[in-house]
Amino acid sequence: MEMLFFKKTVKLLSSFFNLFASASLAAMILLTCIDVSMRYFFNRPIAGTYDLVSLMGAVIAAFAMPYTMLMKGHVAVDLFVRRLSTKTQLVVETTTHIVGMLLFLTLVWQSYALASDMKTVGEVTPTLLLPFYPVVYCMSVCFFVLCLAILVNLLDIWLKRGKK
Amino acid sequence: MNPVHAGIIGIVLLIVILFSRFPVAFCMALVGLLGFGYLVSPQAALNIIAKDFYTVFSSYGLTVVPLFVFMGQILFYAGISRKLYDAAHAWLGQYKGGLAMATVGACASFSAICGSTNATAATMATVALPEMRRFKYRDELATGVVAAGGSLGILIPPSVIFIVYGIMTEQSIGKLFMAGILPGILLSALFILTIYIWVTLSPKMAPRTEKQSFKKKIRALTGLIEVIILFVLVMGGLFLGIFTPTEAGAVGALGGLVIPLVRRQLTWQGFLQAIYSSTLTTCMIFMIVAGATVFGHFLAVTTIPSVLSAWVVELPLPPWAIMIVVMFFFFLGGCFMDALGMILLTIPIFFPVAVALGYDPIWFGVVIVLVTELGVITPPVGINVYVVSGIAKDVPLEIIFKGALPFVLTLLAYLIIMIFFPQIALFLPSFAAY
């Protein structure tokens, strides 16, 4: 029961994060188009488009991570594992999922550290002088939800096996 | 252990874990992290991994990716692929093997709004396969042509591979896009020629279909006017230096949204699906690039790229022979791996070699794309073949691979032509303003 609740929560959270990524993509399209037309028709480009578009790109990729993981959107080489016995497959999958979680927990920790550094040093974007660190804190949170999504995928693999 | 040895162990380790179904992006990041940690220091490795992910994610250059992906997706959900195929059918359907030729034509034009091979193959498989089967085309021709035609997706701009290659090697994306146009058109023509020869040699492959009236032909074209205008606007603006690639992508994305909205061909559901699959693809690509960047940092400290290119240049072989060896390597890799992962993994190693041999970086990009196109339709991991078989579930894999074989031969011949006539790729970019 708790497991089901956990799965549902992670899925909901991932969808919500992806909605945010989608909104960021829409905003990126609009902002760039408005900037281009302001530049050509009125000779008045929007200052800082470059900064904002770069940060929006980071938001799209980071906030789409948990969703992409749950939808199994990543490219992987399937050819070899597919031929193994179900039991060996389970061992391989469990190992890779745990290694994956460790890798991204490292990224949770390190991007948090990076954000703190950026905050102390006061790194800002070139034109608008926006601080970088909030986006990097967000990335840290996204990496954490990604870890949860990997865990959900692993649970699914085990549950499927249990049913068989 | 000296850095080169550590590097070789790293590469072997990477290949091993790649086969464990661990996502390619994660494999590269993991091995890069461990290797860099071993050669430099664990603390430096920890610092670099977060920094690499952040730098890639917030790179202005890569923002081209979500924009062009969205443009292709939204036009797909608006049903443009169907129209492209109908138009090609109306014009080519009357010839022997005409529906297969129409499929190549539709693939080529769909490639002009879409930047990936499997998306193009999947789209055309759903649109063109039922049609060819309705007219009793043999399965090997029908499926083979969709798989092969789909590979045009990364050659004809916009192309995700060119974007990423351009960013990794600091080449102009506009020039790379331009370099893909002529080779793309020529290759489409060669594919059509291949079909012609094939059905002439074995007429039972494709029965003739009836001729369409001139009025029908024109009507099929009018449905596409806006898309053609959009393509010319986006690519033209890019080549003339009016837009940066990101701006061209944004204009294309907005145009792609407005056209079906005005024509009332887009549902809210379709819009949501288009934007969700765009964020998903973006995330997948950004993560592969980030993983490759971490791995690239590790490779750089192993000194393998510079050692290898210095060694290769000294070899008593003509440059074209070395190039063929490099291509063979790409081909082998492409047989087992996804195109983007393969290219990102090997660029840090082979790009310096190509440059040291005096080859044009833009030309090298086009050649790599061609070799990758070969990879996606050859066994054992021809990604396009799998995509087609996922849609035509009753056709065995072997039949599709067999059907793709004539196109593989065409591509091989074409690669040789490209080595000796680099002008095919370099002619258009020589006019590029941007």
Side-chain angles (χ1 to χ4, degrees):
Chain A
M1 206 55 216
E2 288 93 10
M3 207 140 89
L4 217 66
F5 176 73
F6 172 71
K7 260 174 69 175
K8 262 196 180 151
T9 316
V10 173
K11 280 184 183 166
L12 206 68
L13 201 60
S14 304
S15 301
F16 177 69
F17 271 37
N18 193 50
L19 206 63
F20 195 64
S22 307
S24 181
L25 173 55
M28 182 196 264
I29 297 169
L30 283 179
L31 175 66
T32 312
C33 285
I34 295 172
D35 175 51
V36 172
S37 27
M38 289 296 278
R39 191 171 72 217
Y40 280 96
F41 300 121
F42 306 103
N43 203 16
R44 293 183 60 173
I46 301 170
T49 302
Y50 181 95
D51 300 12
L52 286 172
V53 167
S54 310
L55 292 180
M56 285 170 182
V59 169
I60 297 174
F63 281 83
M65 282 191 303
Y67 176 76
T68 308
M69 192 69 220
L70 286 178
M71 301 297 280
K72 311 211 167 45
H74 289 293
V75 184
V77 182
D78 191 26
L79 162 95
F80 178 67
V81 176
R82 211 175 35 201
R83 289 173 194 197
L84 300 173
S85 68
T86 4
K87 208 170 164 189
T88 328
Q89 276 197 30
L90 196 66
V91 175
V92 173
E93 295 275 33
T94 308
T95 318
T96 51
H97 280 73
I98 291 173
V99 172
M101 277 188 271
L102 288 177
L103 175 68
F104 288 105
L105 281 176
T106 313
L107 272 159
V108 172
W109 166 40
Q110 282 306 314
S111 40
Y112 183 84
L114 178 67
S116 310
D117 277 356
M118 282 177 161
K119 193 177 174 186
T120 331
V121 181
E123 269 188 64
V124 288
T125 62
T127 6
L128 287 185
L129 308 182
L130 293 171
F132 275 124
Y133 73 88
V135 177
V136 188
Y137 275 130
C138 286
M139 278 180 67
S140 177
V141 174
C142 293
F143 281 127
F144 182 69
V145 183
L146 171 61
C147 290
L148 297 181
I150 298 177
L151 187 60
V152 167
N153 279 354
L154 181 61
L155 287 176
D156 276 345
I157 294 172
W158 277 87
L159 284 177
K160 225 191 256 164
R161 187 182 148 77
K163 268 184 200 150
K164 271 181 192 165
Chain B
M1 202 174 349
N2 80 22
V4 175
H5 291 163
I8 293 170
I9 292 174
I11 293 171
V12 173
L13 179 69
L14 176 71
I15 294 171
V16 172
I17 60 171
L18 271 177
F19 279 97
S20 70
R21 211 193 267 162
F22 198 40
V24 174
F26 302 1
C27 294
M28 291 193 283
L30 180 70
V31 176
L33 174 73
L34 297 177
F36 198 89
Y38 175 78
L39 283 178
V40 185
S41 80
Q43 189 53 47
L46 287 173
N47 289 344
I48 211 163
I49 186 169
K51 191 123 200 160
D52 278 349
F53 267 81
Y54 169 70
T55 314
V56 168
F57 277 27
S58 65
S59 135
Y60 180 77
L62 273 177
T63 54
V64 194
V65 174
L67 297 168
F68 275 118
V69 168
F70 179 72
M71 169 180 163
Q73 286 292 340
I74 198 84
L75 287 171
F76 167 72
Y77 281 104
I80 292 296
S81 38
R82 171 95 242 166
K83 286 187 166 173
L84 289 173
Y85 181 73
D86 286 347
H89 183 172
W91 286 83
L92 294 167
Q94 72 212 58
Y95 302 104
K96 220 165 152 45
L99 290 187
M101 295 175 184
T103 306
V104 172
C107 282
S109 41
F110 190 69
S111 304
I113 48 172
C114 173
S116 97
T117 66
N118 29 8
T120 309
T123 307
M124 283 307 148
T126 46
V127 177
L129 265 185
E131 205 75 356
M132 283 192 274
R133 296 181 119 183
R134 192 157 66 88
F135 285 97
K136 307 258 177 313
Y137 273 51
R138 287 292 179 87
D139 280 344
E140 53 253 65
L141 175 62
T143 52
V145 73
V146 174
S151 74
L152 291 166
I154 49 170
L155 182 59
I156 297 175
S159 152
V160 168
I161 303 275
F162 278 147
I163 296 171
V164 171
Y165 176 87
I167 290 166
M168 298 288 283
T169 61
E170 296 179 339
Q171 297 300 315
S172 148
I173 291 171
K175 277 192 177 172
L176 281 165
F177 276 6
M178 218 162 180
I181 293 183
L182 267 188
I185 294 174
L186 190 59
L187 184 60
S188 313
L190 284 177
F191 278 173
I192 288 178
L193 184 69
T194 311
I195 295 167
Y196 178 77
I197 296 172
W198 193 359
V199 296
T200 309
L201 291 178
S202 138
K204 60 179 192 304
M205 278 293 155
R208 197 181 288 269
T209 42
E210 82 246 54
K211 193 174 170 177
Q212 307 247 14
S213 70
F214 190 70
K215 219 169 125 194
K216 262 191 175 163
K217 286 185 183 173
I218 295 297
R219 199 178 317 139
L221 274 190
T222 49
L224 296 176
I225 299 277
E226 301 96 312
V227 179
I228 296 169
I229 293 176
L230 184 65
F231 178 75
V232 171
L233 177 76
V234 168
M235 290 300 149
L238 180 58
F239 298 149
L240 294 175
I242 301 172
F243 305 140
T244 66
T246 298
E247 289 166 358
V251 171
L254 190 68
L257 186 62
V258 168
I259 293 173
L261 273 184
V262 171
R263 292 179 147 250
R264 297 180 185 280
Q265 283 160 338
L266 189 66
T267 57
W268 175 244
Q269 208 57 36
F271 170 76
L272 282 184
Q273 274 176 318
I275 203 158
Y276 287 169
S277 49
S278 305
T279 55
L280 186 141
T281 309
T282 304
C283 172
M284 182 267 283
I285 292 171
F286 277 37
M287 289 197 86
I288 289 195
V289 178
T293 308
V294 178
F295 187 74
H297 275 130
F298 162 57
L299 269 187
V301 291
T302 66
T303 69
I304 286 179
S306 51
V307 171
L308 183 73
S309 57
W311 176 73
V312 166
V313 173
E314 295 294 310
L315 283 178
L317 284 172
W320 61 264
I322 298 172
M323 213 48 178
I324 286 177
V325 175
V326 170
M327 280 183 198
F328 182 71
F329 186 85
F330 269 99
F331 170 67
L332 270 190
C335 289
F336 290 95
M337 247 181 96
D338 157 77
L340 188 62
M342 174 67 202
I343 285 183
L344 281 175
L345 204 63
T346 45
I347 279 176
I349 303 178
F350 289 119
F351 184 74
V353 172
V355 173
L357 288 174
Y359 280 107
D360 188 291
I362 301 278
W363 172 85
F364 187 61
V366 174
V367 166
I368 286 186
V369 163
L370 282 175
V371 181
T372 332
E373 286 191 61
L374 257 181
V376 298
I377 52 172
T378 39
V381 188
I383 237 123
N384 273 17
V385 172
Y386 283 103
V387 167
V388 174
S389 87
I391 290 161
K393 288 203 167 66
D394 53 323
V395 184
L397 267 182
E398 307 86 72
I399 296 282
I400 311 179
F401 276 122
K402 209 171 130 197
L405 187 66
F407 301 101
V408 170
L409 298 179
T410 307
L411 258 171
L412 278 175
Y414 190 50
L415 261 175
I416 295 170
I417 299 176
M418 282 295 285
I419 295 187
F420 292 101
F421 299 97
Q423 302 89 333
I424 303 172
L426 296 177
F427 176 68
L428 278 182
S430 63
F431 298 104
Y434 179 75

